[in-house]
Amino acid sequence: MDLHVRLDGRGDLSGQIYRQVRTAILAGLLPAGQPLPPTRELAGDLGIARNTVSMAYDRLVAEGFLVARSGVGTFVADGLAQDRPGGDDGDQVALAPRPIWDTMSAATDLSAADAEFDFRPGIPDASLFPYAAWRRVTTCQLRTTAVGSGAHIAAAGHPPLRAAIARHVAVARGVPAGVDDVVVTSGSQQAVDLLARVLLSPGDVVAVEDPGYPLPRKLLTSSGFDVVPVPVDGEGLVVDALPDAARLVYVTPSHQFPLGTSMSLGRRLALLEWARRAGALIVEDDYDSEFRFAGRPFEPLAGLGAAGHVAYVGSFSKTLLPTLRLGFVVAPRSLRDAMHKAKQLLDWHTAVPPQAALAELINEGLFARHLKAMRRVYARRHHLVTSLLRRDFAGVLEPVPSLVGLHVTALLTDPAADDVQLAARARSAGVEVLPLSPLAVAHPVRGLALGYGAIAEDRIPGGLIRLRAGL
Ligand SMILES: Cc1ncc(COP(=O)(O)O)c(C=O)c1O
């Protein structure tokens, strides 16, 4: 590692080097065992005599900060760092984030859980990711100039991926989209951010499902909008409860998160009618409907007309991996130009190599093949979890009927039961599940969401026996 030393004037150069190295060691910036640059090299970099550097090193060695190993080099001694990584704030005034950040719960570290039985919802089975195919398409794409060029690309994304997504959503979901309608985003989360940025002004009213997926709610709140939680019943979002003033409503109609219901056709038509009347935008998050295990697919709102009022948001976080951070949005044409400008201001565009790899994966039919295989895997797990919940948890947990997605939700039948406590007890017994009540703001609900993406089929019965024992 290069050592940055700032020399001021010509006086006491050796002392300046001594003090800066000593401060860096005490601050933990130069860790124990770190080799220092040879005296000749550092003197050359600083344009000073080698002897000046040697004097500083000698003094640091004499005082025990450095250890010289003859013929090998000079190294930082052990056990000197005082617990102040990042340096000393000295007399600087600590800067405070806006108060709104005090009200947000801590960022979830999804990599943290190493539960014996992992029923966290929304996590795909990473062990079944098509690694060989991904390696092949990545290698192939990295050879092409599209990825290797030094310039940025258009903000909306890699054109072959936009075209592949447009075909995919048109064919598989009946969402009318051409290549120009698609913006590739860093996950569905960024799609929600972009839509809100281009449409809303600070203080505008927006509506979210309650209970609902917390990230868009928190995102919209942090951006200064007036976020109104709207109840959800067995047919989905209660359209009659939408505030008249709302300019945007975020919904998960294919598979309500977390309850798992699909929005009835009546509700979907009522929601579209409401959006037309209110002049509002519906943000339709279709995050996991690729995994449908029986029955007819539900028509997305974006396929039911009123295209000018629906933004269809998709994600590859469930079908492939959340760490790829690949999602997309098909927005109303009236918002298109502003979306492109906003995307460019946020991050220029989503990283191109994974976009190019994904385009190839879709175009070669490998994505469709992966989906088909995963649908079979998840269908078996879905059936197992649902039937064991019905058989072994009767009277305690009532599963919400659902034939789609990566999780099943079950409501607690005892109104006095505390789902957060239950989940904590389950965790100490090695079982990770998601309690529902923290996902509700104004319309309380008690239950557990159980995902089956992260747990293999043969581990499900053992995990549910363990869960049952703790209830
Ligand atoms: C309701 C919902 N939407 C979207 C996503 C995916 O978000 P992203 O595409 O930002 O990874 C998730 C993942 O947990 C989700 O639960």
Side-chain angles (χ1 to χ4, degrees):
M1 199 194 305
D2 288 344
L3 179 63
H4 177 74
V5 176
R6 189 175 345 126
L7 296 179
D8 199 4
R10 304 299 306 166
D12 190 18
L13 297 180
S14 177
Q16 293 188 44
I17 296 170
Y18 160 82
R19 280 190 292 280
Q20 288 181 42
V21 173
R22 191 186 65 169
T23 304
I25 291 173
L26 290 175
L29 293 172
L30 289 173
Q34 166 92 31
L36 263 76
T39 49
R40 185 191 303 277
E41 188 182 305
L42 185 56
D45 287 350
L46 297 173
I48 57 177
R50 182 180 176 190
N51 198 33
T52 309
V53 178
S54 298
M55 276 166 54
Y57 278 23
D58 288 349
R59 189 170 162 199
L60 288 158
V61 170
E63 292 180 9
F65 288 102
L66 298 179
V67 180
R69 289 200 207 110
S70 138
V72 187
T74 309
F75 301 85
V76 176
D78 287 339
L80 293 169
Q82 297 166 358
D83 193 19
R84 291 183 304 181
D88 192 342
D89 276 347
D91 56 359
Q92 287 178 27
V93 176
L95 297 174
R98 284 193 296 138
I100 193 134
W101 294 105
D102 296 336
T103 66
M104 298 278 169
S105 45
T108 320
D109 181 0
L110 296 170
S111 62
D114 48 5
E116 205 181 331
F117 298 101
D118 189 352
F119 287 101
R120 281 175 302 161
I123 301 178
D125 192 332
S127 72
L128 299 177
F129 179 79
Y131 288 101
W134 187 260
R135 263 194 303 275
R136 195 165 56 69
V137 290
T138 300
T139 309
C140 169
Q141 288 300 318
L142 283 174
R143 283 198 202 104
T144 69
T145 50
V147 175
S149 130
H152 288 103
I153 64 162
H158 186 53
L161 179 59
R162 295 172 70 200
I165 290 173
R167 268 197 314 280
H168 173 69
V169 297
V171 173
R173 297 296 284 133
V175 174
V179 54
D180 293 336
D181 297 315
V182 176
V183 176
V184 179
T185 57
S186 175
S188 57
Q189 189 67 11
Q190 191 184 48
V192 177
D193 188 22
L194 285 173
L195 291 162
R197 272 169 196 271
V198 302
L199 187 71
L200 304 174
S201 305
D204 274 357
V205 177
V206 303
V208 295
E209 297 169 325
D210 189 31
Y213 182 41
L215 265 70
R217 171 171 56 78
K218 293 181 185 178
L219 170 71
L220 295 164
T221 306
S222 76
S223 302
F225 306 120
D226 179 4
V227 182
V228 178
V230 175
V232 177
D233 65 14
E235 290 192 65
L237 183 90
V238 179
V239 174
D240 287 344
L242 278 166
D244 291 339
R247 298 215 56 216
L248 178 151
V249 54
Y250 165 85
V251 279
T252 49
S254 297
H255 189 220
Q256 204 276 333
F257 190 90
L259 295 180
T261 39
S262 297
M263 193 183 278
S264 69
L265 181 59
R267 279 286 166 81
R268 277 176 283 151
L269 294 174
L271 182 58
L272 288 169
E273 181 48 32
W274 172 86
R276 274 193 214 99
R277 239 189 8 254
L281 177 71
I282 302 169
V283 179
E284 174 174 30
D285 180 2
D286 199 18
Y287 63 104
D288 69 359
S289 71
E290 289 86 351
F291 303 121
R292 162 160 291 280
F293 311 123
R296 280 218 338 266
F298 278 76
E299 197 72 47
L301 292 160
L304 285 172
H309 290 277
V310 183
Y312 179 81
V313 173
S315 173
F316 293 95
S317 289
K318 316 292 173 193
T319 51
L320 290 170
L321 285 177
T323 47
L324 288 174
R325 305 310 305 134
L326 283 170
F328 62 90
V329 52
V330 177
R333 297 212 165 131
S334 57
L335 302 180
R336 190 195 280 169
D337 285 352
M339 294 283 288
H340 297 177
K341 291 175 195 166
K343 172 70 179 162
Q344 187 178 50
L345 292 185
L346 275 189
D347 61 0
W348 278 96
H349 54 73
T350 297
V352 175
Q355 289 195 62
L358 178 54
E360 189 76 0
L361 201 76
I362 297 176
N363 290 336
E364 283 193 14
L366 301 169
F367 179 65
R369 193 187 305 166
H370 173 65
L371 276 188
K372 202 165 159 194
M374 294 313 296
R375 210 173 280 133
R376 276 200 298 271
V377 170
Y378 293 143
R380 283 200 303 272
R381 297 182 193 178
H382 170 271
H383 176 72
L384 190 55
V385 171
T386 312
S387 49
L388 289 178
L389 282 177
R390 289 219 178 88
R391 194 190 72 188
D392 299 338
F393 292 73
V396 183
L397 284 174
E398 181 65 40
V400 177
S402 162
L403 291 166
V404 61
L406 282 182
H407 75 274
V408 171
T409 300
L411 301 176
L412 280 164
T413 47
D414 176 0
D418 181 336
D419 54 359
V420 173
Q421 259 177 29
L422 288 182
R425 271 215 304 277
R427 173 175 296 162
S428 44
V431 183
E432 194 71 32
V433 292
L434 182 72
L436 299 186
S437 54
L439 306 177
V441 181
H443 305 92
V445 59
R446 288 199 169 74
L448 301 175
L450 283 87
Y452 38 79
I455 185 162
E457 190 179 342
D458 61 354
R459 312 258 318 137
I460 288 173
L464 291 183
I465 288 172
R466 191 78 72 81
L467 178 67
R468 183 72 187 88
L471 289 185

